[in-house]
Amino acid sequence: QVQLVESGGGSVQAGGSLRLSCTGSGYTFSTYCMGWFRQGPGKEREAVARITYGGGSTYYADSVKGRFTISRNNAENTVYLQMNSLKPEDTAMYYCARARVVEWRGNCLSPTFEYTYWGQGTQVTVSS
């Protein structure tokens, strides 16, 4: 079955950096778009970044543009989220997710594209 396992969360001061990793198994990792999402205290879950199956195209939420970078290594079945210049408002549980279906045209970067397999999450806490 599809499994996604995140790691790399932790506590950091504002301005610091963290790198999240997510390893997928139980499916052909290289054929699916992947995404990072987050849910802060009292907030709804939001998409942070998405990446196409080959890594050639990406999407970022406005709130993280210029600070976060999503990337993937298909040989290692892993997607990453490099987070720099962290702010207290970045505090959240971060989840990686897999697109519901294979999609080759980049439509998976759209906010309406479904992501249906989720990891257990990794906590990121940024203190001021």
Side-chain angles (χ1 to χ4, degrees), residues 4 97-101 113-118:
L4 300 170
R98 196 205 82 176
R100 183 176 65 87
V101 296
F113 200 88
E114 291 184 58
Y115 285 69
T116 52
Y117 293 93
W118 300 84

Side-chain angles (χ1 to χ4, degrees), residues 1-6 22-37 45 47 49-53 70 72 74 77-79 94-103 107-110 112-121:
Q1 71 276 23
V2 175
Q3 285 193 321
L4 300 170
V5 179
E6 302 100 334
C22 170
T23 301
S25 61
Y27 68 101
T28 305
F29 183 85
S30 61
T31 61
Y32 285 87
C33 297
M34 297 293 295
W36 284 97
F37 297 73
R45 186 173 62 198
R50 304 174 191 226
I51 189 167
T52 52
Y53 67 97
I70 187 172
R72 65 191 297 163
N74 286 340
N77 288 1
T78 302
V79 61
Y94 283 72
Y95 301 90
C96 77
R98 196 205 82 176
R100 183 176 65 87
V101 296
V102 171
E103 197 281 322
N107 293 329
C108 61
L109 302 180
S110 166
T112 60
F113 200 88
E114 291 184 58
Y115 285 69
T116 52
Y117 293 93
W118 300 84
Q120 81 287 352

Side-chain angles (χ1 to χ4, degrees), residues 39-116:
Q39 187 165 17
K43 298 181 181 179
E44 293 188 357
R45 186 173 62 198
E46 62 172 338
V48 174
R50 304 174 191 226
I51 189 167
T52 52
Y53 67 97
S57 297
T58 56
Y59 155 88
Y60 295 96
D62 287 343
S63 58
V64 306
K65 279 181 183 176
R67 301 188 297 121
F68 290 11
T69 302
I70 187 172
S71 62
R72 65 191 297 163
N73 183 332
N74 286 340
E76 295 185 355
N77 288 1
T78 302
V79 61
Y80 303 97
L81 185 69
Q82 177 66 45
M83 305 185 295
N84 298 329
S85 302
L86 283 161
K87 304 176 181 179
E89 51 262 44
D90 295 318
T91 294
M93 185 72 78
Y94 283 72
Y95 301 90
C96 77
R98 196 205 82 176
R100 183 176 65 87
V101 296
V102 171
E103 197 281 322
W104 304 110
R105 298 185 178 182
N107 293 329
C108 61
L109 302 180
S110 166
T112 60
F113 200 88
E114 291 184 58
Y115 285 69
T116 52

